[in-house]
Every structure is written in structure tokens, then in C-alpha cells.
Amino acid sequence: MTIEQEFFNQYRLMYRPFINQLNVQLEPYQLYSSQWAVLRLLKDKGPHSFVDIANFMSIEKPSVTKLVHKLVELGYVETMAGKDKREKLVHLSTYGEELVQEIKAHLSPFFEEALAGVSKQDIEIATQVLARICMNINQ
Amino acid sequence: MTIEQEFFNQYRLMYRPFINQLNVQLEPYQLYSSQWAVLRLLKDKGPHSFVDIANFMSIEKPSVTKLVHKLVELGYVETMAGKDKREKLVHLSTYGEELVQEIKAHLSPFFEEALAGVSKQDIEIATQVLARICMNINQ
DNA sequence: GTATATAGTTAGCTAGGCTAACTAATGTAA
DNA sequence: TTACATTAGTTAGCCTAGCTAACTATATAC
């Protein structure tokens, strides 16, 4: 087996245990990992339109509609008028802002334990490898 | 954002584009990436029982039943008696053996392009990081 | 002003899992 | 040896997290 195959093998092998554990961590907040990904995006990079979110997450618009509507229902985000009458911008509510802060703190030890025994340098290298693959795959 | 959060952020961001592209590559063989994962396991590590496959892939037994039945339907794998009358072992058919070989060769350039510009050393580091996380997460 | 493109929605589908409850076979302990 | 518990696999039905096709409303281009 080539080292490339080995890498992607490991990549995929990690996915389900990781997502399952992450969902356990998020359960107290009534969130699934996909919804959390939206909240994190809004926290890190400010308000986004539905199309922006779709592009960033590499999913389709109807999937965004569902995700955002669920987050609106929970009171974590709100929508407002965009740059024209078609566009809607999604942003965190005051409650959502606080909650994201709290969740980040709650997740922190989970992430640290998951990466226990890995040097900061190797984490950075691995992050860069993943980022590079994203770039290569999306042209 | 901590480097741990950054890492898992990137990890998740890569997932969908990667799986989508992989599924495109596998389409000529009527396979989805999850079914391919089973074939690769059987190729790399020989025949496995349903429970073995479930444990290795971190999924539940009923999910394995579905995956394997589909692969049997396609003629890529066969089942045989296991170590007692309860157990069934899944192994590649002759056709399946050939096909896996062919698919591996077909996927090779895709993996190489995805990792273009990444040094062999960094790929190995990233692979080890992913393996370590798997270990940490599963206790 | 008409054709085309863009933002978001709705309906209904799929992959890829899950749990609960079951059967059949095997182990264990009184 | 009988009775209970465990294990391997299956079935039915559910869920997350996506998808496409077809739609409405608005905006842009020619």
C-alpha cells in the first residue's frame, strides 16, 4: 500500500469515531456537528448569506436552508436583509454568541485529549496537509 | 482559535469534497466509498466476520449487513462458514480480488493529485497524527 | 423589455449510518 | 442437565446529513 493510500485510509477510519464523540459533546446544547460547523463559521468569520455558507461548507443550498432553519428555531442565529432583496444574511443572536463561546470552552479539553501525545509542530503540519488537500481537490 | 480547534476544523472541512470526489472515482465500479472501505479491508487483512468488520470500521452490525449484502449482490465478495455455526466470514471473490487490484490502480493518481505538493515526510506525519487520534478517541 | 442569472425554498430522494427487538447457536453455572 | 446469559447475524424502522429537480422572487445584461 502506498503512503498516499495509507493516509486516506487513516483519514476515513478516524471520521466516524470522531464525529460520534463530537456529537456526544454537543448533545447538551441540542446540536449536531453539522449545525455546530455553521455556528463556528459565523463566529469566526461573521455573518454569511446562505450561498456563502453552502460554498464554504461544500454543500448545496437546500442543505443550508435546513441547517439554518434549525438554528433559528433554537434561537442561536437570526437572519437579516442582505445586499439586495433576494439575499438573506445569517448572524449569531446575542444568545448564540454566548453559547458558541461556552461550547468552544466545553470542547477544548475533548480536542486536547484527542490530540494527546502529538507535538504542536506535528499538529500544524497535519493541519497544513489537510488544507493543501482541500485546495488541490477543489482545483 | 487554538491549533487543536484549527486542526479539527480543517479535518471536517476536507471530508465532503474528498468523499464526493472519491465517489466519482468509484462510480464506474458501482461502488460508494463505504463499500470500497470494506473491500479494501478484506484485501489488506483477509477474510473477516461481520462483527470484525463492524469493529474495524466503528459501525454497528446492521450497517455491516447492508454493506456486505450489497457487495455479495455485485459479486465482489462471498460468505463462508466461520469458526462455529453462528459466525460467517466475508472474503473477496476471485472477481472481487481482480477488481480491487484494478480500483487501487485507478485511484492512485487521484490520491497523488490530492496530495500534490506535500512531502512524503509530511504525509507520514499527518498519517501518524490521524492514527494517534483514533487511538486516543477509542480509549 | 425580454432573456438570463442569482438567492432562497420546497418536495422528495439517497447514503450511511443508528436502535430495538428478534432468531439461532454457544457458554456458563446450579 | 437444565436454565440463563452471551454472541453472531438479521429485520424493521428510524435519523443525520446530505442530494437533485423544480419552483418563486429579484436582479442583471443585451
mmCIF file of all heavy atoms in Angstrom, chain C residues 26-30, chain D residues 1-7:
data_model
loop_
_atom_site.group_PDB
_atom_site.id
_atom_site.type_symbol
_atom_site.label_atom_id
_atom_site.label_comp_id
_atom_site.label_asym_id
_atom_site.label_seq_id
_atom_site.Cartn_x
_atom_site.Cartn_y
_atom_site.Cartn_z
ATOM 1 P P DT C 26 -22.930 -23.763 17.403
ATOM 2 O OP1 DT C 26 -21.715 -23.860 16.570
ATOM 3 O OP2 DT C 26 -23.767 -24.953 17.716
ATOM 4 O "O5'" DT C 26 -22.514 -23.075 18.782
ATOM 5 C "C5'" DT C 26 -21.786 -21.838 18.732
ATOM 6 C "C4'" DT C 26 -21.636 -21.299 20.134
ATOM 7 O "O4'" DT C 26 -22.929 -21.020 20.708
ATOM 8 C "C3'" DT C 26 -20.944 -22.248 21.109
ATOM 9 O "O3'" DT C 26 -19.782 -21.579 21.564
ATOM 10 C "C2'" DT C 26 -21.976 -22.464 22.215
ATOM 11 C "C1'" DT C 26 -22.824 -21.220 22.087
ATOM 12 N N1 DT C 26 -24.224 -21.278 22.614
ATOM 13 C C2 DT C 26 -24.587 -20.414 23.622
ATOM 14 O O2 DT C 26 -23.822 -19.607 24.120
ATOM 15 N N3 DT C 26 -25.901 -20.529 24.035
ATOM 16 C C4 DT C 26 -26.856 -21.398 23.534
ATOM 17 O O4 DT C 26 -28.002 -21.405 23.973
ATOM 18 C C5 DT C 26 -26.403 -22.272 22.473
ATOM 19 C C7 DT C 26 -27.358 -23.241 21.866
ATOM 20 C C6 DT C 26 -25.119 -22.173 22.068
ATOM 21 P P DG C 27 -18.595 -22.309 22.369
ATOM 22 O OP1 DG C 27 -17.376 -22.127 21.610
ATOM 23 O OP2 DG C 27 -19.082 -23.665 22.746
ATOM 24 O "O5'" DG C 27 -18.506 -21.427 23.687
ATOM 25 C "C5'" DG C 27 -19.708 -20.964 24.202
ATOM 26 C "C4'" DG C 27 -19.503 -20.102 25.408
ATOM 27 O "O4'" DG C 27 -20.818 -19.895 25.922
ATOM 28 C "C3'" DG C 27 -18.729 -20.757 26.552
ATOM 29 O "O3'" DG C 27 -18.308 -19.727 27.434
ATOM 30 C "C2'" DG C 27 -19.790 -21.660 27.151
ATOM 31 C "C1'" DG C 27 -21.053 -20.790 27.005
ATOM 32 N N9 DG C 27 -22.294 -21.508 26.683
ATOM 33 C C8 DG C 27 -22.497 -22.497 25.763
ATOM 34 N N7 DG C 27 -23.749 -22.933 25.719
ATOM 35 C C5 DG C 27 -24.392 -22.163 26.691
ATOM 36 C C6 DG C 27 -25.754 -22.176 27.105
ATOM 37 O O6 DG C 27 -26.679 -22.868 26.693
ATOM 38 N N1 DG C 27 -25.979 -21.236 28.110
ATOM 39 C C2 DG C 27 -25.020 -20.387 28.630
ATOM 40 N N2 DG C 27 -25.412 -19.549 29.583
ATOM 41 N N3 DG C 27 -23.746 -20.368 28.251
ATOM 42 C C4 DG C 27 -23.510 -21.285 27.277
ATOM 43 P P DT C 28 -17.519 -20.085 28.788
ATOM 44 O OP1 DT C 28 -16.647 -18.937 29.058
ATOM 45 O OP2 DT C 28 -16.967 -21.480 28.703
ATOM 46 O "O5'" DT C 28 -18.688 -20.106 29.884
ATOM 47 C "C5'" DT C 28 -19.375 -18.885 30.206
ATOM 48 C "C4'" DT C 28 -20.286 -19.116 31.413
ATOM 49 O "O4'" DT C 28 -21.465 -19.875 31.017
ATOM 50 C "C3'" DT C 28 -19.648 -19.904 32.556
ATOM 51 O "O3'" DT C 28 -20.155 -19.360 33.778
ATOM 52 C "C2'" DT C 28 -20.196 -21.316 32.339
ATOM 53 C "C1'" DT C 28 -21.611 -20.968 31.885
ATOM 54 N N1 DT C 28 -22.353 -22.016 31.120
ATOM 55 C C2 DT C 28 -23.714 -22.134 31.323
ATOM 56 O O2 DT C 28 -24.335 -21.433 32.097
ATOM 57 N N3 DT C 28 -24.326 -23.111 30.573
ATOM 58 C C4 DT C 28 -23.734 -23.966 29.652
ATOM 59 O O4 DT C 28 -24.390 -24.792 29.043
ATOM 60 C C5 DT C 28 -22.308 -23.787 29.492
ATOM 61 C C7 DT C 28 -21.564 -24.653 28.533
ATOM 62 C C6 DT C 28 -21.683 -22.828 30.228
ATOM 63 P P DA C 29 -19.307 -19.486 35.131
ATOM 64 O OP1 DA C 29 -18.358 -18.368 35.187
ATOM 65 O OP2 DA C 29 -18.836 -20.889 35.275
ATOM 66 O "O5'" DA C 29 -20.454 -19.246 36.214
ATOM 67 C "C5'" DA C 29 -21.814 -19.032 35.793
ATOM 68 C "C4'" DA C 29 -22.747 -19.930 36.594
ATOM 69 O "O4'" DA C 29 -23.248 -20.998 35.737
ATOM 70 C "C3'" DA C 29 -22.118 -20.651 37.786
ATOM 71 O "O3'" DA C 29 -23.091 -20.670 38.822
ATOM 72 C "C2'" DA C 29 -21.835 -22.045 37.253
ATOM 73 C "C1'" DA C 29 -23.059 -22.237 36.365
ATOM 74 N N9 DA C 29 -22.930 -23.232 35.303
ATOM 75 C C8 DA C 29 -21.781 -23.679 34.690
ATOM 76 N N7 DA C 29 -22.012 -24.588 33.770
ATOM 77 C C5 DA C 29 -23.399 -24.741 33.764
ATOM 78 C C6 DA C 29 -24.265 -25.545 33.003
ATOM 79 N N6 DA C 29 -23.843 -26.376 32.062
ATOM 80 N N1 DA C 29 -25.585 -25.436 33.272
ATOM 81 C C2 DA C 29 -25.993 -24.587 34.218
ATOM 82 N N3 DA C 29 -25.280 -23.781 34.989
ATOM 83 C C4 DA C 29 -23.965 -23.909 34.707
ATOM 84 P P DA C 30 -22.824 -21.071 40.293
ATOM 85 O OP1 DA C 30 -22.270 -19.901 40.974
ATOM 86 O OP2 DA C 30 -22.086 -22.351 40.342
ATOM 87 O "O5'" DA C 30 -24.313 -21.313 40.793
ATOM 88 C "C5'" DA C 30 -25.360 -21.395 39.779
ATOM 89 C "C4'" DA C 30 -26.506 -22.221 40.309
ATOM 90 O "O4'" DA C 30 -26.814 -23.251 39.331
ATOM 91 C "C3'" DA C 30 -26.242 -22.966 41.620
ATOM 92 O "O3'" DA C 30 -27.254 -22.669 42.549
ATOM 93 C "C2'" DA C 30 -26.179 -24.440 41.284
ATOM 94 C "C1'" DA C 30 -26.522 -24.538 39.801
ATOM 95 N N9 DA C 30 -25.421 -25.085 39.000
ATOM 96 C C8 DA C 30 -24.081 -24.881 39.151
ATOM 97 N N7 DA C 30 -23.345 -25.508 38.272
ATOM 98 C C5 DA C 30 -24.270 -26.169 37.467
ATOM 99 C C6 DA C 30 -24.138 -27.002 36.360
ATOM 100 N N6 DA C 30 -22.966 -27.329 35.826
ATOM 101 N N1 DA C 30 -25.254 -27.485 35.802
ATOM 102 C C2 DA C 30 -26.435 -27.145 36.336
ATOM 103 N N3 DA C 30 -26.699 -26.362 37.381
ATOM 104 C C4 DA C 30 -25.547 -25.909 37.906
ATOM 105 P P DT D 1 -26.614 -34.895 31.030
ATOM 106 O OP1 DT D 1 -26.682 -36.248 30.443
ATOM 107 O OP2 DT D 1 -25.931 -33.868 30.261
ATOM 108 O "O5'" DT D 1 -28.085 -34.442 31.321
ATOM 109 C "C5'" DT D 1 -28.511 -34.511 32.716
ATOM 110 C "C4'" DT D 1 -29.437 -33.340 32.958
ATOM 111 O "O4'" DT D 1 -28.730 -32.266 33.644
ATOM 112 C "C3'" DT D 1 -29.993 -32.701 31.701
ATOM 113 O "O3'" DT D 1 -31.163 -32.007 32.082
ATOM 114 C "C2'" DT D 1 -28.906 -31.681 31.355
ATOM 115 C "C1'" DT D 1 -28.607 -31.144 32.756
ATOM 116 N N1 DT D 1 -27.248 -30.587 32.971
ATOM 117 C C2 DT D 1 -27.075 -29.705 33.998
ATOM 118 O O2 DT D 1 -27.967 -29.344 34.719
ATOM 119 N N3 DT D 1 -25.791 -29.248 34.139
ATOM 120 C C4 DT D 1 -24.694 -29.588 33.371
ATOM 121 O O4 DT D 1 -23.600 -29.116 33.609
ATOM 122 C C5 DT D 1 -24.938 -30.525 32.324
ATOM 123 C C7 DT D 1 -23.828 -30.973 31.423
ATOM 124 C C6 DT D 1 -26.181 -30.968 32.160
ATOM 125 P P DT D 2 -32.495 -32.256 31.252
ATOM 126 O OP1 DT D 2 -33.197 -33.440 31.786
ATOM 127 O OP2 DT D 2 -32.191 -32.178 29.803
ATOM 128 O "O5'" DT D 2 -33.314 -30.955 31.709
ATOM 129 C "C5'" DT D 2 -33.327 -30.624 33.117
ATOM 130 C "C4'" DT D 2 -32.845 -29.201 33.341
ATOM 131 O "O4'" DT D 2 -31.430 -29.059 33.112
ATOM 132 C "C3'" DT D 2 -33.523 -28.129 32.461
ATOM 133 O "O3'" DT D 2 -34.237 -27.296 33.342
ATOM 134 C "C2'" DT D 2 -32.364 -27.438 31.757
ATOM 135 C "C1'" DT D 2 -31.215 -27.712 32.728
ATOM 136 N N1 DT D 2 -29.826 -27.595 32.224
ATOM 137 C C2 DT D 2 -28.927 -26.810 32.922
ATOM 138 O O2 DT D 2 -29.212 -26.207 33.923
ATOM 139 N N3 DT D 2 -27.665 -26.790 32.396
ATOM 140 C C4 DT D 2 -27.217 -27.448 31.261
ATOM 141 O O4 DT D 2 -26.052 -27.359 30.887
ATOM 142 C C5 DT D 2 -28.208 -28.246 30.578
ATOM 143 C C7 DT D 2 -27.824 -28.987 29.345
ATOM 144 C C6 DT D 2 -29.458 -28.280 31.083
ATOM 145 P P DA D 3 -35.282 -26.215 32.845
ATOM 146 O OP1 DA D 3 -36.484 -26.431 33.690
ATOM 147 O OP2 DA D 3 -35.370 -26.251 31.367
ATOM 148 O "O5'" DA D 3 -34.605 -24.829 33.257
ATOM 149 C "C5'" DA D 3 -33.839 -24.752 34.462
ATOM 150 C "C4'" DA D 3 -33.051 -23.457 34.405
ATOM 151 O "O4'" DA D 3 -31.765 -23.718 33.775
ATOM 152 C "C3'" DA D 3 -33.721 -22.368 33.573
ATOM 153 O "O3'" DA D 3 -33.572 -21.132 34.253
ATOM 154 C "C2'" DA D 3 -32.961 -22.395 32.253
ATOM 155 C "C1'" DA D 3 -31.564 -22.787 32.721
ATOM 156 N N9 DA D 3 -30.729 -23.436 31.712
ATOM 157 C C8 DA D 3 -31.132 -24.283 30.713
ATOM 158 N N7 DA D 3 -30.152 -24.724 29.953
ATOM 159 C C5 DA D 3 -29.031 -24.116 30.501
ATOM 160 C C6 DA D 3 -27.673 -24.176 30.163
ATOM 161 N N6 DA D 3 -27.186 -24.894 29.151
ATOM 162 N N1 DA D 3 -26.810 -23.447 30.923
ATOM 163 C C2 DA D 3 -27.292 -22.729 31.930
ATOM 164 N N3 DA D 3 -28.553 -22.598 32.346
ATOM 165 C C4 DA D 3 -29.380 -23.331 31.585
ATOM 166 P P DC D 4 -34.309 -19.796 33.770
ATOM 167 O OP1 DC D 4 -35.215 -19.389 34.853
ATOM 168 O OP2 DC D 4 -34.844 -20.042 32.404
ATOM 169 O "O5'" DC D 4 -33.106 -18.758 33.679
ATOM 170 C "C5'" DC D 4 -32.045 -18.822 34.642
ATOM 171 C "C4'" DC D 4 -30.806 -18.188 34.057
ATOM 172 O "O4'" DC D 4 -30.171 -19.111 33.134
ATOM 173 C "C3'" DC D 4 -31.076 -16.902 33.269
ATOM 174 O "O3'" DC D 4 -30.222 -15.881 33.774
ATOM 175 C "C2'" DC D 4 -30.764 -17.282 31.818
ATOM 176 C "C1'" DC D 4 -29.741 -18.399 31.991
ATOM 177 N N1 DC D 4 -29.677 -19.367 30.854
ATOM 178 C C2 DC D 4 -28.419 -19.721 30.338
ATOM 179 O O2 DC D 4 -27.400 -19.249 30.826
ATOM 180 N N3 DC D 4 -28.358 -20.603 29.302
ATOM 181 C C4 DC D 4 -29.472 -21.117 28.788
ATOM 182 N N4 DC D 4 -29.341 -21.982 27.778
ATOM 183 C C5 DC D 4 -30.762 -20.764 29.287
ATOM 184 C C6 DC D 4 -30.815 -19.891 30.309
ATOM 185 P P DA D 5 -30.162 -14.436 33.106
ATOM 186 O OP1 DA D 5 -29.902 -13.434 34.158
ATOM 187 O OP2 DA D 5 -31.325 -14.286 32.203
ATOM 188 O "O5'" DA D 5 -28.836 -14.559 32.254
ATOM 189 C "C5'" DA D 5 -27.644 -15.025 32.902
ATOM 190 C "C4'" DA D 5 -26.467 -14.846 31.962
ATOM 191 O "O4'" DA D 5 -26.512 -15.886 30.950
ATOM 192 C "C3'" DA D 5 -26.455 -13.516 31.208
ATOM 193 O "O3'" DA D 5 -25.105 -13.107 31.114
ATOM 194 C "C2'" DA D 5 -27.056 -13.867 29.850
ATOM 195 C "C1'" DA D 5 -26.580 -15.302 29.655
ATOM 196 N N9 DA D 5 -27.465 -16.154 28.859
ATOM 197 C C8 DA D 5 -28.830 -16.234 28.916
ATOM 198 N N7 DA D 5 -29.343 -17.109 28.081
ATOM 199 C C5 DA D 5 -28.233 -17.649 27.434
ATOM 200 C C6 DA D 5 -28.100 -18.626 26.436
ATOM 201 N N6 DA D 5 -29.122 -19.272 25.891
ATOM 202 N N1 DA D 5 -26.846 -18.923 26.016
ATOM 203 C C2 DA D 5 -25.809 -18.263 26.568
ATOM 204 N N3 DA D 5 -25.820 -17.330 27.514
ATOM 205 C C4 DA D 5 -27.071 -17.067 27.907
ATOM 206 P P DT D 6 -24.694 -11.727 30.398
ATOM 207 O OP1 DT D 6 -23.605 -11.108 31.176
ATOM 208 O OP2 DT D 6 -25.948 -10.983 30.092
ATOM 209 O "O5'" DT D 6 -24.072 -12.248 29.025
ATOM 210 C "C5'" DT D 6 -22.996 -13.187 29.078
ATOM 211 C "C4'" DT D 6 -22.677 -13.642 27.673
ATOM 212 O "O4'" DT D 6 -23.774 -14.421 27.145
ATOM 213 C "C3'" DT D 6 -22.468 -12.489 26.682
ATOM 214 O "O3'" DT D 6 -21.166 -12.663 26.151
ATOM 215 C "C2'" DT D 6 -23.584 -12.673 25.650
ATOM 216 C "C1'" DT D 6 -23.877 -14.159 25.763
ATOM 217 N N1 DT D 6 -25.227 -14.651 25.352
ATOM 218 C C2 DT D 6 -25.311 -15.668 24.424
ATOM 219 O O2 DT D 6 -24.334 -16.185 23.892
ATOM 220 N N3 DT D 6 -26.584 -16.078 24.126
ATOM 221 C C4 DT D 6 -27.765 -15.586 24.645
ATOM 222 O O4 DT D 6 -28.847 -16.038 24.301
ATOM 223 C C5 DT D 6 -27.613 -14.513 25.614
ATOM 224 C C7 DT D 6 -28.827 -13.902 26.239
ATOM 225 C C6 DT D 6 -26.364 -14.098 25.923
ATOM 226 P P DT D 7 -20.500 -11.604 25.136
ATOM 227 O OP1 DT D 7 -19.043 -11.616 25.353
ATOM 228 O OP2 DT D 7 -21.287 -10.359 25.213
ATOM 229 O "O5'" DT D 7 -20.794 -12.283 23.716
ATOM 230 C "C5'" DT D 7 -20.218 -13.547 23.420
ATOM 231 C "C4'" DT D 7 -20.670 -13.957 22.031
ATOM 232 O "O4'" DT D 7 -22.062 -14.317 22.069
ATOM 233 C "C3'" DT D 7 -20.549 -12.828 21.002
ATOM 234 O "O3'" DT D 7 -19.799 -13.326 19.904
ATOM 235 C "C2'" DT D 7 -21.988 -12.498 20.630
ATOM 236 C "C1'" DT D 7 -22.692 -13.815 20.921
ATOM 237 N N1 DT D 7 -24.151 -13.742 21.230
ATOM 238 C C2 DT D 7 -24.993 -14.643 20.616
ATOM 239 O O2 DT D 7 -24.612 -15.478 19.837
ATOM 240 N N3 DT D 7 -26.316 -14.516 20.963
ATOM 241 C C4 DT D 7 -26.872 -13.615 21.836
ATOM 242 O O4 DT D 7 -28.060 -13.603 22.061
ATOM 243 C C5 DT D 7 -25.923 -12.687 22.441
ATOM 244 C C7 DT D 7 -26.428 -11.640 23.402
ATOM 245 C C6 DT D 7 -24.629 -12.801 22.121
#
